[in-house]
């Protein structure tokens, strides 16, 4: 028995970015545990979007998430308030945004002393990301620190 209806067309696989657009947003408790969970969930989300575990890009973006989340907990803490992580992937870039509720402490690159145990997080972010910055929250107290990382164009895996 034959049918006149055409077979479903299968899209051709080309060397295009792995994702046209993806978005993830979640609030976390402003605790070290919340920062670890943000990093872990970001890693899972990146893998689901095609940026596989163990790749340089995956490691870079999750390190940026870890540093910005730790800064939100350490420097942006307002007791009883959470921080928010947003990930956006479009074309060949991933944008990381971490929002806390402490607007008077703005991020700045500093030259850490050799004896200090901290103060290197933003230096890492600046070295790893293509661009980074911050802006004050328009809808309440706080600020958002953001970073953009290039993913590059990679062929999709074959079926």
């Amino acid at each position: 028995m034959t049918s006149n209806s055409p077979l479903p067309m299968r899209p051709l696989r080309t060397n295009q970015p792995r994702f046209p657009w993806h978005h993830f947003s979640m609030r976390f408790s402003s605790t070290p545990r919340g920062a670890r969970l943000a990093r872990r969930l970001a890693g899972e989300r990146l893998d689901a979007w095609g940026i596989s575990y163990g790749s340089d890009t995956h490691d870079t973006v999750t390190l940026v998430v870890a540093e910005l989340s730790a800064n939100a907990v350490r420097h942006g803490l307002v007791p009883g308030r959470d921080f928010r992580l947003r990930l956006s992937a479009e074309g060949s870039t991933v944008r990381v945004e971490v929002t806390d509720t402490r607007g008077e402490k703005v991020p700045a690159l500093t030259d850490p002393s050799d004896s200090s145990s901290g103060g290197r997080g933003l230096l890492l972010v600046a070295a790893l990301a293509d661009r980074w910055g911050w802006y004050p929250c328009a809808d309440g107290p706080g600020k958002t620190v953001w970073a953009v990382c290039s993913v590059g164009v990679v062929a999709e895996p074959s079926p």
Side-chain angles (χ1 to χ4, degrees):
M1 180 179 236
T2 61
S3 170
N4 289 336
S5 64
L7 294 174
M9 295 291 291
R10 192 164 198 196
L12 295 175
R13 296 195 183 271
T14 61
N15 284 347
Q16 294 179 352
R18 287 182 255 189
F19 39 77
W21 186 83
H22 290 290
H23 181 75
F24 170 79
S25 180
M26 184 176 264
R27 296 183 90 73
F28 297 91
S29 64
S30 290
T31 63
R33 187 176 189 168
R36 284 191 307 272
L37 182 58
R39 177 185 49 82
R40 188 171 224 141
L41 289 179
E44 288 179 7
R45 184 60 49 186
L46 293 169
D47 186 62
W49 293 347
I51 303 170
S52 58
Y53 283 105
S55 68
D56 288 343
T57 302
H58 188 279
D59 293 347
T60 297
V61 175
T62 53
L63 181 55
V64 168
V65 168
E67 291 300 331
L68 295 182
S69 297
N71 283 352
V73 169
R74 186 171 193 176
H75 304 293
L77 174 65
V78 173
R81 301 268 176 106
D82 296 337
F83 73 91
R84 180 179 59 227
L85 168 67
R86 287 185 186 168
L87 295 176
S88 303
E90 184 173 357
S92 59
T93 61
V94 175
R95 182 178 176 97
V96 177
E97 295 183 351
V98 175
T99 303
D100 64 54
T101 54
R102 192 148 183 209
E104 74 278 4
K105 280 192 113 174
V106 298
L109 291 176
T110 58
D111 189 18
S113 68
D114 291 334
S115 62
S116 70
S117 63
R120 293 170 181 83
L122 278 181
L123 290 173
L124 280 171
V125 170
L128 294 171
D130 297 314
R131 298 182 314 277
W132 78 276
W134 71 276
Y135 57 89
C137 290
D139 58 350
K143 65 188 170 300
T144 297
V145 184
W146 59 268
V148 175
C149 300
S150 292
V151 174
V153 179
V154 178
E156 288 186 38
S158 23

